Amino acid sequence: MNAVISSEQLTMHFRGCDALRGVDLDIQPGTVFALLGENGAGKTTLIRILTGFQSPSSGSCRVCGIDPLSQPLEIRRRIGYVADQPALYDWMTVGEIGWFTASFYSDPFFDKYRESIRLYEIPEDRKIKNLSKGQRAKVALALALANDPELLILDEPTSGLDPMVRREFLESMIGRALSGRTVFLSSHQISEVERVADTIAILHDGKIRVCEPLDQLKGSMTEITISVEDPLVATPSFPEPAEILCETTSGRERQIIVKHFDAAMIEGIESSQSVVGVRVRAMSLEEIFIAYTRGSITSPESIVSSQDDSLEDHRAVETEVSP
Amino acid sequence: MNAIPREMRAFLWRDARQLIPLVAMLVVVTTLILTLWLFTDDNFDGYVPSVWIPLILPTLLAAGCGAILVGNEKETRTLKWIASLPVQPARVFQSKLLVATVALIAMWLAALLLLVGMSVAGSDSIRDVASLTKTSIPWNVSFWVVHTIFILVAGMYAAWRIENAFGSLVAMIPIAGVPISLATISYKCYLIASGHYYDQESATALATLFTLPAIALMVWLGYRAAIRFFAADPPPRVASSANESQQGLFSWIDPWKPPASGIPSAKPFRISLATLLWQAFHQNRLAFIGLSACVLLGMICLALTATQRSYNLVGDSLNLFWVAGFFALSWLGVLSFCGDGSAKSLKFLADRGVSPSTVWLGRHLMPIAIVSAALLVYGLSQRSILAGGYLRAGPMFSMAVITAVMLVIYGVSQWTSMMIRVLGGSVFLAPLLSVVCIGWLIAQWTWIGSPVWVMVICIALPYAVTLMLMKRHMDDRRDLRFWLINFAAIAVGIVGLPIAQCAYQISQFPTISESRRAELQSMAMKFGTDSASPFAIMRVDWNENDYLSKTWDGKPTGQQIAKRLDAIQDRPQDWLEIPSRASQPLQFDTSVLEASIGSAEYYRLRMVDDPSEAAMEQFEAWCEFLIEYGQRMRLSSRLWDQDGADEVAIWLTHTFAKTEMQQFWDRPTTREAMQFISAADDRNEARRRAVLESWTEYHDNIESDSPSRSDFGGYYSLLDFQSTPDFQRPYLVDRRMDVIASVAIEMIDAAENGASTMPMRQLLHQVLFDNELAFDSGPYSDRSAISAMSPNFSGNPNQARVPAVKWYGPWEQDAITLYRSWQKAESTQRQSTVPEVK
């Protein structure tokens, strides 16, 4: 199956920082794809490149089989895009902006838009400037969805929405994916993403740290807590294919995040020197996200600052392990 | 209509809607200016060409289209949203250009209609609209049409090309001047090289020739800029990391700027104002530097214009620079609360609890420093020009005037920018409103007569309002109260206060009560108003082809003329056409009286020197004419003629009181003179009648809207309030006439009862000279009342041209004394002593 979005070694250098450092993506149609990353990770830059607003420093990408830079109009015809703070014409009414936007799309657009607006309970004769933040977000969503695009790109789509609408909206994303369309979500609302996303990608420091189906990602990550008699004893090693992502020592307890852990490995750990107890727990997506994003801090300054933070918080020492 | 693509229709609708506020603003401002023009037409038409008013509409629309249609959309990021839709960038560009062009055409039609309207109304500077197509640039309307198209496309290009909306507006100004500057320079170079004279048609044609290709160029550049705007942003060039970690030592400047990245700083910005100053400057660094340079240069050029004539190349350039300085100052004001000073930007400070007054001061500190520097520059330039002894060719304004004008421009502009959030709107409206406000202040000074303190309040009010509304502005609260304060300040402070103060001034002007008015009316009824109108004494026309030729057929010879002249006996009837009916009142004509007195005095001296019968007859002929003239002026119902009769009486008293005239006291002429000067009761009655009839006739003329209402009893100057502002005159003139009439009657009554006339004279002085002249220096003072027997007596009739000025002066007592002496002498047959002239 042809990927809806594919990119190869996308890089983007800004003054003083590298927003993207070789991003490779391959998103299949009919999925809800969630791009996670902390503030400044490069999510919006990646979306701007995918939608043809920004040329990358190097690398290439294709969206719906089209190069966004050479055919931006075609891309915009086939996708729906909602920015985190959509700029709409304040002086237009809700109805007017729908009519205005409809003129760029085929006919059912306006009817579908009005249907969504009715669903969101926004009066059509109200001016955009008089709408609340959430209502503006709903109007922007309605405008993006009215075209029934094969790819919907949403940058922080639920910020400003009330819980009820947020739930309905997220559920509608699942419906879209089931009908064969693709949804690209950029968010740090991990709990929401966890509810709807099929595939998760974590962007950190300009790189995709992980890109896997949600179930697979969650299934492969385990938090192991080892109690030891002597805190100076080294952590026991894990057999292949287990991979330690992060290890934290707090007194006589060590918390280790391990990828590809197998329950059969517990017996071996328990038999290690000074180990008095082993507890195993499945991880949430949020914990996985934190593990990926905090686990890669490698610069000396960061270690110093993180040590200071740890001392202030829990007097715990954190050892950093690259994934 | 359906042939137009659907997306194009949507764009056209959107762009047309976006232009509506600009069009509305222009209509409001043009109406304001037109209103000012209508009120000040008589005063300013010669100085301010009225053609400016209609030209404002298309010019400002052309200049503002780019800012509104493109700049504003960039600022609100709606164009970025449009870019996310499947829209061809060319369509966006075409739609905006099309809407702007149609709006410009509509504005030109409106402007031409306005021009025609003003032409029909009879503006001095637009007598004939067709002639405007033949005037020199820039007032040549046909060229201006072309030039506004260029301004339109230049503005669109600048708005597409430059990211910062304010920057694009500033950049448009030099671009807009390029074709006309190139054409002017080229033409002047050609004139210098060829030695030809300036020909306005050629100059206009050349300017048009330069402008037409420039229009095409700007459209193409604008299109390219629009396409580039919608294209994907190119990746930025990566800066070297070496520059990013700049290290430095602490210095005096450190507390005035934030620390460089990674460098610890000991309490930067110890003064919160310093923080705001830094922010205000750095946010718009280029704009500040550019505008400040323009303001300073403009002030030097303004000072230099006094040394240069405006219609040469250097003079024109100087004018261009000071006009640019004016715009720059206005935009400094706009920067206060637009762009970086917008409510959204200031919200950051509001959220951190920074005092609104501190923020307000921080926004104004930098521009105030620039204004101060500009004033200093102007003062120094002016001083060096004055000290250098340059030949001056223009006005040189005082520092006070320049300070006031600068404060008005900046104040109004900063206020406008707080009221109008759209930068494009503020940028165009602020200079216009500044001009309107300056016009209003000039009108206050010259037309309404506001005192300095009212004008100071008007100048300070915009600052006070922005200070008062600063908190709301920072919180982005534009509620009813915000607008109420704004409109109250305009309505009450700027418009209402001067008018209220003027109304107060008018109310303080003396007037008469209704009962007194009724009393005067009943007195006037007794006299009736059926007096014959006084006739003017006409001079005999000595024109050769008229009077002299009446005697002969054809052209007279020199000998014939000489013979005719020899036959003239130099009697009054030789020179004057005196109405024959003795009961016909005569008008007071100062030149006739002066000439007659001169003749009489001449023959008096000859008579005294040689008291022959012929000499006496000659003197008596003139003297009798003067007595008759005085008597017939007494019959007149006009105040002016009564005062003329007084002049005659004064001269007669002065003349017959002379020692050398005593020998002629037995002559019938002397008897007639004595009877005339001694008739005090008749004089009083004639005065009373004249006062009441003049007053009644004045009011009758007002009611019937008669054209002769421009005088009061023959005194035209009474309606001409030299020092009173035009606006107050219509309200004061009736009061003045009422008071004059009432006081004159009071004065007659007081004199008849032997009371002092001083309070009445003081009141007359007040209503006529409005305290601008000290009473002792005025014509009603005792100092001015010189005795008819005084050696200082000049005989000049009523130089002040105000009524009742010689009533009950010392001459009347002199006349009585003389009459009594004459009577005594008459009875003792010239054996008694007569008073001698001192």
Side-chain angles (χ1 to χ4, degrees), chain B residues 544-765:
Chain B
E544 184 188 352
N545 294 325
D546 186 10
Y547 182 81
L548 291 178
S549 62
K550 286 177 186 169
T551 319
W552 297 280
D553 293 330
K555 195 175 181 183
T557 63
Q559 281 183 331
Q560 285 173 319
I561 293 171
K563 199 176 173 184
R564 177 76 183 86
L565 289 173
D566 284 344
I568 294 170
Q569 294 179 324
D570 195 18
R571 299 294 174 90
Q573 55 269 28
D574 292 330
W575 310 103
L576 303 167
E577 291 180 354
I578 305 161
S580 57
R581 196 158 52 91
S583 61
Q584 172 64 52
L586 293 178
Q587 288 184 2
F588 173 29
D589 183 326
T590 51
S591 59
V592 167
L593 184 65
E594 281 174 12
S596 302
I597 285 175
S599 293
E601 190 64 22
Y602 168 70
Y603 286 112
R604 190 188 69 80
L605 290 171
R606 284 185 63 172
M607 180 182 75
V608 169
D609 188 47
D610 173 23
S612 64
E613 195 62 30
M616 279 192 280
E617 273 182 27
Q618 200 72 2
F619 166 72
E620 282 174 354
W622 282 103
C623 197
E624 280 167 15
F625 163 69
L626 282 168
I627 293 166
E628 185 192 348
Y629 192 20
Q631 286 168 339
R632 289 173 72 174
M633 282 195 283
R634 279 274 178 251
L635 298 176
S636 172
S637 60
R638 303 194 317 163
L639 258 177
W640 170 246
D641 302 330
Q642 293 303 318
D643 288 345
D646 286 351
E647 298 294 345
V648 173
I650 291 167
W651 180 79
L652 289 171
T653 307
H654 174 72
T655 303
F656 282 96
K658 288 178 191 289
T659 312
E660 69 265 24
M661 289 299 290
Q662 287 177 14
Q663 56 184 308
F664 305 108
W665 276 17
D666 58 342
R667 308 282 298 185
T669 308
T670 309
R671 179 182 300 275
E672 283 178 40
M674 290 304 130
Q675 282 171 352
F676 177 66
I677 62 171
S678 63
D681 291 343
D682 292 348
R683 193 160 55 220
N684 286 344
E685 198 60 10
R687 284 172 178 168
R688 196 188 304 274
R689 189 190 64 248
V691 168
L692 293 167
E693 286 200 25
S694 296
W695 180 70
T696 310
E697 192 185 15
Y698 171 78
H699 282 289
D700 288 347
N701 286 336
I702 288 174
E703 282 171 22
S704 60
D705 202 21
S706 165
S708 64
R709 61 169 294 189
S710 56
D711 79 298
F712 179 85
Y715 275 100
Y716 292 86
S717 59
L718 294 185
L719 289 91
D720 182 23
F721 289 62
Q722 297 240 330
S723 59
T724 307
D726 287 353
F727 181 76
Q728 294 187 9
R729 287 180 195 179
Y731 301 98
L732 297 186
V733 70
D734 288 356
R735 289 173 172 227
R736 174 185 268 191
M737 301 315 164
D738 290 347
V739 171
I740 289 172
S742 173
V743 170
I745 296 293
E746 280 175 23
M747 196 192 278
I748 295 166
D749 292 344
E752 282 177 342
N753 297 326
S756 169
T757 59
M758 177 60 87
M760 296 89 193
R761 283 187 280 138
Q762 283 175 332
L763 197 52
L764 282 174
H765 178 90

Side-chain angles (χ1 to χ4, degrees), chain A residues 12-16 18 48 52-57 69 73 76-77 79 81 85-92 96-97 99-107 127 143, chain B residues 6-11 13-15 17-18 73 76-89 96 230-239 243-244 344:
Chain A
M12 188 70 221
H13 304 299
F14 287 116
R15 189 177 175 184
D18 293 335
R48 280 173 54 78
F53 286 117
Q54 176 75 57
S55 300
S57 299
L69 288 178
L73 275 190
R76 285 158 206 177
R77 235 172 244 131
I79 68 166
Y81 169 55
Q85 286 180 328
L88 305 172
Y89 289 97
D90 275 352
W91 54 270
M92 287 188 192
E96 282 172 347
I97 202 160
W99 171 84
F100 176 73
T101 318
S103 60
F104 312 117
Y105 295 97
S106 52
D107 264 345
K127 292 210 167 178
L143 289 170
Chain B
R6 201 165 63 154
E7 61 179 36
M8 195 64 179
R9 272 182 272 156
F11 280 140
W13 168 80
R14 174 203 62 179
D15 293 329
R17 283 284 302 267
Q18 289 189 124
E73 282 220 55
T76 54
R77 297 187 303 119
T78 45
L79 270 184
K80 283 290 176 196
W81 175 68
I82 290 287
S84 73
L85 303 174
V87 172
Q88 287 183 358
K96 289 186 184 298
F230 284 103
D233 296 341
R237 291 177 185 173
V238 181
N243 294 334
E244 292 172 12
K344 280 177 186 167

Side-chain angles (χ1 to χ4, degrees), chain B residues 390-633:
Chain B
Y390 290 97
L391 189 65
R392 272 185 272 163
M396 192 162 257
F397 300 102
S398 70
M399 286 292 282
V401 168
I402 294 292
T403 308
V405 168
M406 290 189 85
L407 288 176
V408 170
I409 295 168
Y410 178 76
V412 171
S413 302
Q414 54 97 34
W415 189 10
T416 309
S417 71
M418 185 180 269
M419 276 200 288
I420 297 166
R421 281 187 289 196
V422 179
L423 181 65
S426 290
V427 160
F428 286 97
L429 207 56
L432 265 178
L433 289 179
S434 303
V435 169
V436 170
C437 206
I438 290 170
W440 173 236
L441 285 172
I442 293 171
Q444 279 185 38
W445 185 252
T446 59
W447 185 53
I448 294 180
S450 299
V452 172
W453 66 267
V454 170
M455 298 179 72
V456 168
I457 288 177
C458 282
I459 293 170
L461 202 61
Y463 298 93
V465 171
T466 52
L467 176 61
M468 204 186 304
L469 295 174
M470 194 63 200
K471 189 169 187 325
R472 285 170 189 279
H473 179 67
M474 285 170 72
D475 293 340
D476 204 12
R477 269 192 297 151
R478 300 170 83 79
D479 50 10
L480 187 64
R481 200 169 164 191
F482 177 88
W483 293 111
L484 277 179
I485 290 172
N486 273 311
F487 287 116
I490 294 169
V492 177
I494 292 188
V495 180
L497 179 65
I499 292 174
Q501 202 280 332
C502 177
Y504 175 75
Q505 268 188 334
I506 290 168
S507 72
Q508 294 303 300
F509 197 81
T511 186
I512 60 170
S513 64
E514 281 305 311
S515 59
R516 178 63 178 163
R517 188 187 304 277
E519 198 181 336
L520 288 175
Q521 280 168 344
S522 94
M523 275 194 266
M525 291 283 282
K526 283 181 195 166
F527 282 103
T529 53
D530 54 351
S531 302
S533 295
F535 275 24
I537 294 180
M538 306 300 287
R539 284 179 186 75
V540 171
D541 189 353
W542 281 100
N543 186 293
E544 184 188 352
N545 294 325
D546 186 10
Y547 182 81
L548 291 178
S549 62
K550 286 177 186 169
T551 319
W552 297 280
D553 293 330
K555 195 175 181 183
T557 63
Q559 281 183 331
Q560 285 173 319
I561 293 171
K563 199 176 173 184
R564 177 76 183 86
L565 289 173
D566 284 344
I568 294 170
Q569 294 179 324
D570 195 18
R571 299 294 174 90
Q573 55 269 28
D574 292 330
W575 310 103
L576 303 167
E577 291 180 354
I578 305 161
S580 57
R581 196 158 52 91
S583 61
Q584 172 64 52
L586 293 178
Q587 288 184 2
F588 173 29
D589 183 326
T590 51
S591 59
V592 167
L593 184 65
E594 281 174 12
S596 302
I597 285 175
S599 293
E601 190 64 22
Y602 168 70
Y603 286 112
R604 190 188 69 80
L605 290 171
R606 284 185 63 172
M607 180 182 75
V608 169
D609 188 47
D610 173 23
S612 64
E613 195 62 30
M616 279 192 280
E617 273 182 27
Q618 200 72 2
F619 166 72
E620 282 174 354
W622 282 103
C623 197
E624 280 167 15
F625 163 69
L626 282 168
I627 293 166
E628 185 192 348
Y629 192 20
Q631 286 168 339
R632 289 173 72 174
M633 282 195 283

Side-chain angles (χ1 to χ4, degrees), chain B residues 3-41:
Chain B
I4 301 171
R6 201 165 63 154
E7 61 179 36
M8 195 64 179
R9 272 182 272 156
F11 280 140
L12 290 175
W13 168 80
R14 174 203 62 179
D15 293 329
R17 283 284 302 267
Q18 289 189 124
L19 265 190
I20 288 172
L22 179 65
V23 173
M25 279 193 304
L26 290 178
V27 168
V28 168
V29 172
T30 309
T31 310
L32 265 175
I33 295 173
L34 200 62
T35 312
L36 267 182
W37 172 73
L38 284 173
F39 280 113
T40 57
D41 186 24

